[in-house]
Amino acid sequence: MAFHNDKVAVSKYLRPLCIGRLESSDNKETELMKDFRELRATVEKMGLFRASPLFFGLVMFQILAFEFGGWFIVYYFGASWLALLAASLLLVTAQAQAGWAQHDYGHHSVFNNSKVNKYIHIFLLNFFKGVSSSWWNYRHYLHHAKPNTIKKDPDIRLDVFFLTGKVLPVEYGKKKKGFMPYEKQHHYWFFVLPPLLLPLYFHYEVPYYLWSRRNYVEMFWMASFFVRYVVMFKPFLGVGGALTFYLFVRFLESHWFVWTTQMNHIPMDVEYDEDLDWVTSQLKATCNVDQSWFNDWFSGHLNFQIEHHLFPTMPRNNLHKAAPLVKSLCEKHGLDYKCKTLFGAMKDIVGSLKESGELWYEAYHM
């Protein structure tokens, strides 16, 4: 229900997989889930699942405008350090905002036609950003299904360098696992994940994913991004210079991306699958950040992470309208609805890493 707009089409795929129905008193729907289904029906009647063509048209316009502006600065002013720095700021903004926009199309929250969403998703992610649509779908839907769940959410598989939550650090400590000084992870965080995730790690994981699945079509579209970038900047920087400039832009974007996407999740509960209901599992793993025009724009409206996780296909410009209703539901059922300042949410990443590192250290030296 959460992931798909066309419920009739999905039911056709599910029908051959049905082997029976379980009738048990233990399988009765809780009051919380009854109220949530009523809430979903309410927001559907309010039209909150209908996208605004004007809003998403402006989103696409700003992306193309920032990208063109970055190229034009180098074209008009030349390849001086000052011009390249100014251009990189516009280009990183275009890439970051394209990242939030592809997220919209990846969740099918813009058009009712899933094929149209898919094609624009491929355009933004493969051609405009040089990543992979199928890779993103694979990772992101696992994340949404089981957020912050150990061994099930790929976004928290960080244990090579970082331990998150309160369960995994103690487990690793007792078993003497890990090769990093995790008690210092809140210090080396600044030099590892924010600067290196996009320019280094993703350039390994994404091609490996596509090659292992022999997805040559997406490999072609991903390669077209690099051709585009070289064509744009080769006349001013040469091939090597254009690719180096690209890595610098990706380095800047990586900071933006990591801090913004992790502030809603790393400080929250990270545990093994407890088979919780949909609402509780999402609330335990997510938090919001205060609304403001800057926070909305800077985070691609993912400052409303709670509402987005409860209603993944809801267009992001409507998430703030659902927020008061979700908050009332949480108050009624005693669920913690966390909302922080932007700086406070980012600060909590470091604080939670420090706490997790201390738990590992204590368990390791017991």
Side-chain angles (χ1 to χ4, degrees), residues 151-179:
K151 295 185 177 181
K152 294 188 177 181
D153 181 358
D155 286 1
I156 60 165
R157 291 173 189 165
L158 307 170
D159 45 285
V160 174
F161 295 106
F162 301 98
L163 295 175
T164 57
K166 298 179 180 179
V167 176
L168 214 56
V170 175
E171 180 181 304
Y172 268 54
K174 289 180 178 179
K175 295 180 180 179
K176 313 297 182 187
K177 291 177 64 177
F179 66 94

Side-chain angles (χ1 to χ4, degrees), residues 97-170:
Q97 292 300 323
W100 307 143
Q102 66 81 21
H103 181 264
D104 300 322
Y105 293 95
H107 276 294
H108 301 275
S109 63
V110 183
F111 292 98
N112 290 328
N113 189 312
S114 61
K115 288 186 177 180
V116 175
N117 285 311
K118 178 183 177 181
Y119 294 145
I120 299 178
H121 191 233
I122 291 173
F123 166 77
L124 282 171
L125 206 48
N126 294 56
F127 177 75
F128 196 84
K129 289 187 63 62
V131 197
S132 162
S133 173
S134 61
W135 165 83
W136 184 90
N137 287 331
Y138 168 74
R139 280 186 63 108
H140 201 65
Y141 278 98
L142 285 174
H143 161 69
H144 267 271
K146 294 289 182 179
N148 281 17
T149 302
I150 299 168
K151 295 185 177 181
K152 294 188 177 181
D153 181 358
D155 286 1
I156 60 165
R157 291 173 189 165
L158 307 170
D159 45 285
V160 174
F161 295 106
F162 301 98
L163 295 175
T164 57
K166 298 179 180 179
V167 176
L168 214 56
V170 175

Side-chain angles (χ1 to χ4, degrees), residues 238-298:
V239 176
L243 293 176
T244 302
F245 185 52
Y246 155 74
L247 287 174
F248 178 66
V249 171
R250 199 61 90 207
F251 166 80
L252 296 177
E253 183 196 357
S254 190
H255 288 81
W256 189 335
F257 173 80
V258 170
W259 285 99
T260 306
T261 57
Q262 298 309 306
M263 67 183 180
N264 303 109
H265 292 299
I266 283 183
M268 304 303 290
D269 293 352
V270 179
E271 298 173 341
Y272 284 99
D273 196 348
E274 299 176 308
D275 197 26
L276 300 171
D277 62 72
W278 174 255
V279 178
T280 305
S281 65
Q282 303 300 327
L283 264 293
K284 285 169 68 69
T286 57
C287 69
N288 279 6
V289 169
D290 292 340
Q291 182 185 22
S292 70
W293 71 266
F294 176 80
N295 289 356
D296 292 355
W297 175 83
F298 184 78

Side-chain angles (χ1 to χ4, degrees), residues 158 161-164 169 180-195 259 266 346-361:
L158 307 170
F161 295 106
F162 301 98
L163 295 175
T164 57
M180 295 295 292
Y182 296 114
E183 75 277 12
K184 294 182 173 63
Q185 64 179 3
H186 59 294
H187 294 309
Y188 64 74
W189 155 269
F190 296 93
F191 308 102
V192 179
L193 207 63
W259 285 99
I266 283 183
M346 292 182 177
K347 182 181 176 183
D348 283 350
I349 295 176
V350 181
S352 65
L353 288 173
K354 182 175 185 293
E355 181 182 359
S356 298
E358 290 172 349
L359 289 171
W360 171 84
Y361 186 83

Side-chain angles (χ1 to χ4, degrees), residues 310-338:
L310 292 175
F311 309 111
T313 59
M314 182 179 288
R316 58 165 146 142
N317 59 298
N318 289 333
L319 292 172
H320 71 282
K321 299 175 184 177
L325 301 176
V326 173
K327 191 173 183 179
S328 296
L329 177 74
C330 293
E331 289 175 353
K332 178 180 178 181
H333 292 277
L335 294 173
D336 194 7
Y337 183 98
K338 288 187 178 180

Side-chain angles (χ1 to χ4, degrees), residues 60-78 82-95 128 228-229 232-233 236 245 249:
M60 192 66 75
F61 173 78
Q62 70 152 349
I63 292 168
L64 298 176
F66 279 122
E67 186 83 355
F68 174 78
W71 172 84
F72 185 78
I73 286 176
V74 180
Y75 169 79
Y76 190 81
F77 293 101
L82 186 60
L84 290 175
L85 180 60
S88 67
L89 294 179
L90 294 184
L91 291 169
V92 73
T93 302
Q95 288 296 311
F128 196 84
R228 176 179 73 85
Y229 228 82
M232 287 174 64
F233 295 105
F236 320 108
F245 185 52
V249 171

